[in-house]
Amino acid sequence: MSTPDSTNGEVRPPLGIDALLERVRAAYERIGPQEAYEATRAGDALLVDIRYAALRERDGLIPGAVVVERNELEWRLDPQGSHRLPEATSHALRVVVICNEGYASSLAAQSLHQLGLHRATDLVGGFQAWREAGLPVERAEGPRRA
């Protein structure tokens, strides 16, 4: 199956998810767990956890991270949106999107770039890499949910 190219009508084969992830990730600099931890401690980044509830309940939360369900992410972080988080005041906001292993967060960061959040990135390895790095994790009771 082929899809038309929206720019010139040329037909090209569909792009698989691995190639799509490679293309998406080449468009911005991803961040590792230690750098994300230091950036949030310095007040230079907003950590946004998009993992679904069962994973948060099973594995815990990153202290200070805002929990935003993936299907609400763009509405909650668009500085021009009527449903935005209080922290989403500027397109210059540095957002670090965190999923479980660092795959869905890459696609989410790309979507934020399309909204003009040019400093959006994602956490390499996701929550699992954060935990494996020995960084703080708290039980899932009482998360800060957007």
Side-chain angles (χ1 to χ4, degrees):
M1 176 176 205
S2 297
T3 57
D5 183 326
S6 63
T7 57
N8 64 12
E10 179 183 313
V11 176
R12 57 187 167 136
L15 189 63
I17 188 60
D18 292 330
L20 177 61
L21 276 173
E22 186 177 320
R23 181 184 293 174
V24 163
R25 290 172 173 169
Y28 64 89
E29 187 174 331
R30 300 179 78 207
I31 189 172
Q34 190 64 43
E35 186 179 353
Y37 176 71
E38 291 168 8
T40 193
R41 287 190 46 130
D44 184 44
L46 176 66
L47 302 181
V48 179
D49 187 342
I50 64 168
R51 293 176 301 142
Y52 53 90
L55 289 176
R56 295 191 310 267
E57 290 168 10
R58 182 189 77 188
D59 295 338
L61 301 163
I62 295 172
V66 177
V67 174
V68 179
E69 297 289 336
R70 174 61 190 100
N71 64 329
E72 298 177 359
L73 184 68
E74 292 81 359
W75 283 267
R76 306 301 274 154
L77 292 176
D78 179 2
Q80 300 172 340
S82 59
H83 292 67
R84 69 177 176 80
L85 294 173
E87 297 89 345
T89 58
S90 166
H91 286 95
L93 178 65
R94 185 177 188 196
V95 176
V96 179
V97 183
I98 302 165
C99 67
N100 194 48
E101 295 181 347
Y103 296 99
S105 57
S106 294
L107 299 176
Q110 176 202 33
S111 181
L112 294 178
H113 276 257
Q114 291 173 329
L115 286 176
L117 292 155
H118 61 276
R119 296 181 69 207
T121 188
D122 74 311
L123 184 65
V124 176
F127 179 86
Q128 298 306 321
W130 177 280
R131 186 171 65 179
E132 288 171 17
L135 296 169
V137 174
E138 61 188 18
R139 295 188 51 82
E141 287 95 38
R144 179 173 167 222
R145 177 130 198 258

